[in-house]
Amino acid sequence: MEEQKKPSSLQIESVVASDTKRFKVPVDSEHKAMVFWIFSFAAPHMRAFHLSWFSFFCCFVSTFAAPPLLPVIRDNLGLTRTDIGNAGIASVSGAVFARLAMGTACDLVGPRLASASLIFLTTPAVYCTSVINSASAYLLARFFTGFSLASFVSCQFWMSSMFSAPKVGRANGVAAGWGNLGGGATQLIMPLVYELIHNAIGSTKFTAWRIAFFIPGLMQTAAGIAVLTLGQDLPDGNYQKLEKAGDKHKDSFSKVFHHAVTNYRAWILALTYGYCFGVELTIDNIIAEYFYDRFDVNLRNAGMIAASFGLANIFSRPAGGLFSDLLSRRFGMRGRLWGLWLVQSFGGVLCIILGLMDNLAAAISVMLLFSVFVQAACGLSFGIVPFVSRRSLGLISGMTGGGGNVGAVLTQLIFFKGSRYSTQKGIALMGVMTLACTLPIMLIYFPQWGGMLVGPRPNATEEDYYAAEWSQKERDSGCHSASLKFAENSVSERGKRRDPSTTVPVDTTPSHV
Amino acid sequence: MGGIVSFSATSLLLLLLLISFAGSAVGGVLFSTLPKTLIVSASPKQGQVLRAGEDQIMVSWGLNQSFPAGTDEAYRKVKVRLCYAPVSQADRGWRKTEDDLSKDKTCQFDVAVRSYTTTTLTSFECKLSRELPTATYFVRAYALDYNGRVAAYGQTTDDHKATNLFEVVGISGRSLWLDIAAGCFSGFSVGSRVVFFVADKRRKTNNN
């Protein structure tokens, strides 16, 4: 006779209380927040938002902490341009697989543990950047630090778990946008910290930059501790607690993996994300040098220009997410798809124009406009990703995020390594490739909502789509209850279309006369 | 949200205006037009390895007597610099040699700046700065006129920059304290994750 493990009183309390728990924000049937109050820290939803964007911000600061200090580092370590280029590629390539692993980890152990573990395991790479002494050590340091960019996946997964369908686009957009801000902020923070240490404390150049790296390291450590102690996976609690109480089905890796890789939409989004986020990462690595070489601005001004590209993230990526939500309210998922295609294609056009600009002021203006569109496209992409799958949300977020990094690696390898193309020609060609690789969005089709060019199938429902990820046996044992709830809440993706099933049938007489 | 947008847009516009008014490059003297009227010699021998921040070099310069008298009438100052040899410039665009001296990045470190005197040879001993990177160098002296424009030059190596080069090994910038701190913080980082993991597991077994 098998003895059932009796849950402790604490857990019974949380199982019952979850039905009547008072949240500080209005919630839907999955207890996801239906509002997005950006300046609130209310647990668990808004607190998760702030932990999420801040920890991701710290990871971005660490990953791109070296480029603004390169003029000092390259002399200390005797780096060549090839060394620097290779390290730049290494810094974004580590995250390709890390993001996939992170997606799976989120599906299996939850975003809180997954992101905190990642942060704690990559922080040593940041601290150890202070003790490197050769080009290969520099490459390894940037490679391992770059793994922390996988916290993007846990950030998006967490937001998708905490916010309901009408708000998920903007929640994802603001969290990721403010996180990406780290790539711009670091171009200002690191030189400032370096100057302080070099001038105020009086260390030599070659010691000052090493000490400066403790700042991103400490930021990351603080973020990791905050996530672990203050964060919570789902509105109802953490994965482990919910799984024990039977509230959450503990999934298997092979099933999650299967349903992610067999969903063609995930692959298309991975490709297109490579040409908005991948382009953004590439620009982060090359733009300062481009302005320095082509327009003869000094290094500090080049750094400021580079920073302004990344700093635009404070509003442009959130704007993309918001725009996605607004389009969805009127046009449903078809609006989100059209919005993404239009914004990303226009970003590609601006990229081509940027490569052709000969005048400094014109180049900066085009670059700023380009930054807005390319970052908004990233926000629009993650307005769509939460709907591709419910069971494998983490892994699909990981595939999309990983695709972004693959795009950055490929683009830098093809157009910005060696002297085959001048940098300006490389930028223009990158724009052409963006246009080409954005076209596949036209192929994305949801039976219940439609695609860009084709309308929805008449009798397809959200339930059919999300329940299809579970086998009959799994459905019989009720494992898919979370997916069903999600399906119910995602009906808003139909847009403001008049749905014939909601009108009153003509042939029944009203019950009261 | 609207407030953030307008603030960000305004600050980006200001940044744009600021940068477009930033200093424009002014064309300078072309190196190829300079006469090589100075003789410069330095104490390091060909291939010698020196340590930055520790070793000293002795540099001497003077007018090449084979030039007619009066060549150096306009010279007022002599600026002596350490310059990168071609092997240290390879694959490093930030050390590139340009003919326009205002853009040239070959000689980046000052050894001495002295007023020009017409005595045959002036010598100066100088300690190698701690900020010198590890590289191969030679010494060059520029003669400046009243206006501070370069009028002539001399260098310890030949025109192809192949002879009489010496190496300097820079400081690493590392220190024992830095290594210990990095190790401790890294250990704390991994350790705290382990501590939380153990605490979580213990909480779970206690709850059973």
Side-chain angles (χ1 to χ4, degrees), chain A residues 5-8 10-11 38-39 74-76 78-84 112-113 116-117 119-121 123-125 127-128 130-133 174 178 198 203-207 209-211 214 218 221 225 228-229 240 244 289 292 296-297 301 304-305 308 312 314-315 318-319 322 360-361 364-365 368, chain B residues 1 4-9 12-13 15-25 84 90-96 103 105 108-109 130-135 170-175 177-194 196-197 200-201 203-208:
Chain A
K5 272 249 163 84
K6 196 175 167 206
S8 80
L10 279 166
Q11 284 168 335
I38 212 169
F39 295 113
R74 67 192 179 194
D75 275 345
N76 194 182
L79 302 176
T80 62
R81 170 157 272 134
T82 308
D83 293 330
I84 295 173
R112 171 183 153 262
L113 286 178
S117 305
I119 290 173
F120 280 127
L121 293 174
T123 311
Y127 289 123
C128 289
S130 311
V131 305
I132 59 179
N133 223 354
V174 182
W178 289 7
H198 184 37
S203 314
T204 56
K205 288 194 318 193
F206 295 164
T207 306
W209 78 261
R210 293 172 185 276
I211 302 177
F214 277 81
L218 288 169
T221 305
I225 295 177
L228 259 189
T229 54
Q240 287 172 317
K244 278 196 87 80
E289 226 174 354
Y292 180 82
D296 282 326
V297 294
N301 285 341
M304 269 181 18
I305 297 172
S308 68
I314 198 175
F315 67 87
L322 185 70
L360 177 65
I364 295 180
S365 329
L368 289 174
Chain B
M1 197 74 173
I4 296 175
V5 173
S6 51
F7 170 71
S8 316
L12 281 171
L13 191 65
L15 183 74
L16 173 67
L17 284 171
L18 198 79
I19 290 172
S20 43
F21 285 124
S24 46
Y84 290 112
D91 204 12
R92 293 180 174 95
W94 56 91
R95 297 178 182 171
K96 202 156 156 227
K103 293 190 182 157
K105 300 272 181 3
Q108 295 189 15
F109 303 99
R130 293 185 72 199
E131 315 233 308
L132 281 176
T134 304
I171 60 169
S172 72
R174 290 174 60 181
S175 75
W177 291 113
L178 217 53
D179 292 351
I180 294 175
C184 286
F185 279 104
S186 303
F188 172 74
S189 198
V190 177
S192 53
R193 180 69 191 93
V194 173
F196 275 111
F197 182 68
D200 252 348
K201 271 242 145 57
R203 210 181 304 140
K204 268 206 295 192
T205 48
N206 280 345
N207 285 342
N208 285 342

Side-chain angles (χ1 to χ4, degrees), chain A residues 14 28-29 61 67 69 73 135 161 176 189 204 230 284 297 309 319 358 371 386 392 415 433 443 449 502:
Chain A
S14 64
D28 64 13
S29 69
V61 168
L69 294 182
I73 300 177
S161 309
I189 295 176
T204 56
L230 301 172
D284 274 339
V297 294
F309 177 84
D358 264 326
S371 72
S392 310
F415 300 124
M433 195 150 180
L443 300 174
W449 299 318
T502 59

Side-chain angles (χ1 to χ4, degrees), chain A residues 96-429:
Chain A
V96 172
F97 292 105
R99 285 179 166 203
L100 296 171
M102 194 61 162
T104 316
C106 283
D107 282 324
L108 300 177
V109 301
R112 171 183 153 262
L113 286 178
S115 65
S117 305
L118 176 75
I119 290 173
F120 280 127
L121 293 174
T122 50
T123 311
V126 184
Y127 289 123
C128 289
T129 313
S130 311
V131 305
I132 59 179
N133 223 354
S134 67
S136 38
Y138 175 67
L139 185 128
L140 285 174
R142 288 210 71 194
F143 177 67
F144 286 113
T145 309
F147 274 60
S148 65
L149 285 187
S151 61
F152 165 73
V153 177
S154 55
C155 168
Q156 300 290 281
F157 183 95
W158 213 352
M159 294 298 95
S160 305
S161 309
M162 285 285 181
F163 291 90
S164 62
K167 301 291 176 189
V168 77
R170 80 197 65 187
N172 273 340
V174 182
W178 289 7
N180 280 19
L181 205 63
T186 195
Q187 314 260 6
L188 296 173
I189 295 176
M190 293 304 283
L192 196 71
V193 171
Y194 165 78
E195 296 270 320
L196 263 170
I197 298 173
H198 184 37
N199 298 330
I201 305 182
S203 314
T204 56
K205 288 194 318 193
F206 295 164
T207 306
W209 78 261
R210 293 172 185 276
I211 302 177
F213 264 82
F214 277 81
I215 299 300
L218 288 169
M219 282 170 68
Q220 241 185 275
T221 305
I225 295 177
V227 165
L228 259 189
T229 54
L230 301 172
Q232 187 177 303
D233 291 313
L234 292 168
D236 293 329
N238 287 321
Y239 271 31
Q240 287 172 317
K241 193 169 74 173
L242 297 174
E243 278 163 8
K244 278 196 87 80
D247 263 2
K248 191 190 173 306
H249 162 76
K250 190 168 162 66
D251 216 338
S252 84
F253 170 67
S254 55
K255 294 277 170 58
V256 165
F257 183 79
H258 176 257
H259 287 288
V261 300
T262 52
N263 195 328
Y264 74 94
R265 300 169 195 84
W267 293 103
I268 295 181
L269 284 171
L271 171 68
T272 57
Y273 198 61
Y275 287 90
C276 54
F277 184 62
V279 164
E280 186 183 335
L281 287 182
T282 303
I283 297 275
D284 274 339
N285 266 338
I286 62 147
I287 199 75
E289 226 174 354
Y290 176 66
F291 276 91
Y292 180 82
D293 289 334
R294 189 159 183 208
F295 299 103
D296 282 326
V297 294
N298 68 37
L299 207 71
R300 186 171 297 166
N301 285 341
M304 269 181 18
I305 297 172
S308 68
F309 177 84
L311 289 176
N313 263 302
I314 198 175
F315 67 87
S316 48
R317 184 162 179 152
L322 185 70
F323 186 49
S324 187
D325 287 339
L326 290 176
L327 284 171
S328 157
R329 214 194 289 173
R330 180 78 179 80
F331 301 107
M333 177 55 72
R334 295 184 78 183
R336 292 192 195 259
L337 291 167
W338 270 99
L340 174 59
W341 180 75
L342 282 169
V343 169
Q344 189 160 320
S345 299
F346 192 57
V349 168
L350 286 170
C351 189
I352 298 174
I353 297 178
L354 175 63
L356 302 173
M357 287 288 108
D358 264 326
N359 167 282
L360 177 65
I364 295 180
S365 329
V366 172
M367 186 203 74
L368 289 174
L369 200 61
F370 164 63
S371 72
V372 170
F373 277 84
V374 86
Q375 289 156 10
C378 297
L380 281 151
S381 300
F382 274 85
I384 298 171
V385 167
F387 298 99
V388 171
S389 158
R390 184 66 192 88
R391 188 171 193 180
S392 310
L393 171 64
L395 189 50
I396 289 186
S397 300
M399 280 166 76
T400 309
N405 283 58
V406 170
V409 170
L410 274 177
T411 310
Q412 282 175 92
L413 269 176
I414 299 175
F415 300 124
F416 299 106
K417 193 176 157 165
S419 19
R420 185 132 164 256
Y421 301 107
S422 64
T423 309
Q424 63 243 41
K425 193 150 184 215
I427 292 178
L429 289 174

Side-chain angles (χ1 to χ4, degrees), chain B:
Chain B
M1 197 74 173
I4 296 175
V5 173
S6 51
F7 170 71
S8 316
T10 323
S11 38
L12 281 171
L13 191 65
L14 283 173
L15 183 74
L16 173 67
L17 284 171
L18 198 79
I19 290 172
S20 43
F21 285 124
S24 46
V26 176
V29 178
L30 295 180
F31 183 72
S32 47
T33 60
L34 292 178
K36 193 176 178 181
T37 60
L38 298 178
I39 297 191
V40 184
S41 64
S43 54
K45 301 182 196 26
Q46 161 69 23
Q48 187 174 351
V49 178
L50 301 161
R51 284 158 307 173
E54 289 176 26
D55 293 329
Q56 305 204 327
I57 57 170
M58 170 97 84
V59 183
S60 6
W61 62 87
L63 183 69
N64 186 342
Q65 296 304 317
S66 53
F67 282 87
T71 317
D72 59 349
E73 232 178 85
Y75 304 171
R76 281 292 166 273
K77 265 209 192 119
V78 172
K79 203 191 311 194
V80 184
R81 311 198 101 178
L82 272 178
C83 309
Y84 290 112
V87 63
S88 289
Q89 290 176 298
D91 204 12
R92 293 180 174 95
W94 56 91
R95 297 178 182 171
K96 202 156 156 227
T97 299
E98 298 271 356
D99 204 24
D100 182 345
L101 280 180
S102 66
K103 293 190 182 157
D104 181 43
K105 300 272 181 3
T106 322
C107 304
Q108 295 189 15
F109 303 99
D110 270 331
V111 167
V113 181
R114 293 272 178 279
S115 357
Y116 180 78
T117 53
T118 46
T119 53
T120 37
L121 218 63
T122 321
S123 287
F124 178 72
E125 188 152 313
C126 125
K127 191 171 181 183
L128 294 173
S129 159
R130 293 185 72 199
E131 315 233 308
L132 281 176
T134 304
T136 311
Y137 296 90
F138 62 93
V139 181
R140 182 183 286 171
Y142 290 115
L144 307 176
D145 65 11
Y146 300 90
N147 304 315
R149 279 173 72 87
V150 181
Y153 80 99
Q155 60 191 23
T156 55
T157 184
D158 63 2
D159 286 335
H160 298 291
K161 297 185 266 190
T163 58
N164 230 358
L165 306 170
F166 60 95
E167 279 176 47
V168 174
V169 173
I171 60 169
S172 72
R174 290 174 60 181
S175 75
L176 184 63
W177 291 113
L178 217 53
D179 292 351
I180 294 175
C184 286
F185 279 104
S186 303
F188 172 74
S189 198
V190 177
S192 53
R193 180 69 191 93
V194 173
V195 164
F196 275 111
F197 182 68
V198 168
D200 252 348
K201 271 242 145 57
R202 214 171 271 165
R203 210 181 304 140
K204 268 206 295 192
T205 48
N206 280 345
N207 285 342
N208 285 342

